[in-house]
Amino acid sequence: MGRFFVNVPATLLNMLLTDKLKNINVILGSASPRRKELLGYLDIDFTVDATSNTPEVVDPLLPLLQVAPSLSRQKSEGFHRPLLQNELLITADTVVICKNRILGKPKDAVQASEMLHLLSGCTHQVCTGVTLRTKTSVDTFSAVTRVTFRDLSEHEIDYYIGHYKPFDKAGSYGIQEWIGAIGIVGIEGSFYNVMGLPVQALHTHLLDMV
């Protein structure tokens, strides 16, 4: 089997992301444990620094699919210090869009229940915006995944909220948790995007940027 690699140009082998980033300090500008886990799937070294000095503002006239990319740019621009020459900052924001509404993170169990009732029996969109920024360049992109829930019972919604307390999750659910396992009947697009980071698209954009 090894013979298939004999004539592979060294330039192609050097396209491995870990090699391209070996002299760059990658910073994840997010406190989300899920984004930290997902970025780790790329096998690259990075640090986490979510310190920001800028409040996030949503323009009410902005098309809904542009909200997450806009917020990711704001998070990047609000980073608490200038970037150094060899640094690359990654920021992201995820929104859930259902029936022409953006569902953010629920404030309490009542709001979480309202969101899950809205998602029940419906197909919604999950959009994650990502901004990559260095001292000299910026790249903002987004990924959209369509997710369909079957009808959820009152008991299932109450059980999930009571046991999993999804108050730190857009749309009040985590696709990787119990509610996703028993309630989601269809997904079109990136699974990881719904968790909070479109890993495949991020890998492609990182390769292009560096």
Side-chain angles (χ1 to χ4, degrees), residues 5 11 36 58 64 69 86 99 116 144 155 163 167 172 179:
F5 296 96
T11 52
K36 180 180 179 182
V58 177
L64 297 184
N86 66 332
K99 299 178 181 178
L116 289 171
V144 179
H155 173 73
H163 285 76
F167 308 126
S172 192
I179 196 73

Side-chain angles (χ1 to χ4, degrees), residues 65-106:
L65 288 176
Q66 293 182 24
V67 169
S70 173
L71 290 173
S72 77
R73 285 194 300 271
Q74 291 180 49
K75 289 178 178 179
S76 181
E77 293 164 359
F79 193 63
H80 65 101
R81 62 170 176 80
L83 294 178
L84 302 178
Q85 189 64 43
N86 66 332
E87 292 181 325
L88 188 153
L89 175 66
I90 302 173
T91 53
D93 194 90
T94 301
V95 300
V96 172
I97 303 170
C98 183
K99 299 178 181 178
N100 293 316
R101 289 177 51 188
I102 286 184
L103 307 183
K105 297 176 183 178

Side-chain angles (χ1 to χ4, degrees), residues 21-209:
L21 290 173
K22 64 183 179 182
N23 295 318
I24 297 176
N25 295 325
V26 177
I27 304 167
L28 175 62
S30 172
S32 166
R34 291 173 296 281
R35 291 199 179 109
K36 180 180 179 182
E37 175 188 357
L38 292 172
L39 183 57
Y41 291 171
L42 295 183
D43 286 344
I44 62 175
D45 294 326
F46 65 93
T47 58
V48 176
D49 186 347
T51 309
S52 176
N53 296 326
T54 303
E56 299 164 25
V57 179
V58 177
D59 182 349
L61 300 180
L62 201 62
L64 297 184
L65 288 176
Q66 293 182 24
V67 169
S70 173
L71 290 173
S72 77
R73 285 194 300 271
Q74 291 180 49
K75 289 178 178 179
S76 181
E77 293 164 359
F79 193 63
H80 65 101
R81 62 170 176 80
L83 294 178
L84 302 178
Q85 189 64 43
N86 66 332
E87 292 181 325
L88 188 153
L89 175 66
I90 302 173
T91 53
D93 194 90
T94 301
V95 300
V96 172
I97 303 170
C98 183
K99 299 178 181 178
N100 293 316
R101 289 177 51 188
I102 286 184
L103 307 183
K105 297 176 183 178
K107 297 178 180 179
D108 51 34
V110 172
Q111 198 171 76
S113 179
E114 291 173 352
M115 290 183 185
L116 289 171
H117 276 94
L118 190 68
L119 296 172
S120 176
C122 292
T123 297
H124 62 277
Q125 295 175 301
V126 180
C127 179
T128 299
V130 181
T131 295
L132 309 178
R133 185 166 64 89
T134 66
K135 187 177 178 64
T136 58
S137 60
V138 179
D139 176 24
T140 296
F141 63 94
S142 62
V144 179
T145 304
R146 290 171 57 85
V147 181
T148 303
F149 271 102
R150 65 164 172 78
D151 289 330
L152 300 171
S153 70
E154 193 79 36
H155 173 73
E156 288 169 334
I157 290 173
D158 290 345
Y159 175 87
Y160 176 65
I161 294 172
H163 285 76
Y164 289 85
K165 300 181 176 16
F167 308 126
D168 64 335
K169 297 176 176 64
S172 192
Y173 80 92
I175 191 172
Q176 72 279 14
E177 295 179 341
W178 179 85
I179 196 73
I182 65 97
I184 290 176
V185 295
I187 178 170
E188 180 182 344
S190 168
F191 174 90
Y192 296 123
N193 181 52
V194 185
M195 285 183 66
L197 198 64
V199 181
Q200 186 279 324
L202 174 59
H203 182 266
T204 298
H205 280 259
L206 282 169
L207 282 173
D208 289 342
M209 191 168 191

Side-chain angles (χ1 to χ4, degrees), residues 13-27:
L13 294 178
N14 288 340
M15 288 295 288
L16 286 170
L17 187 59
T18 50
D19 185 74
K20 295 191 74 174
L21 290 173
K22 64 183 179 182
N23 295 318
I24 297 176
N25 295 325
V26 177
I27 304 167

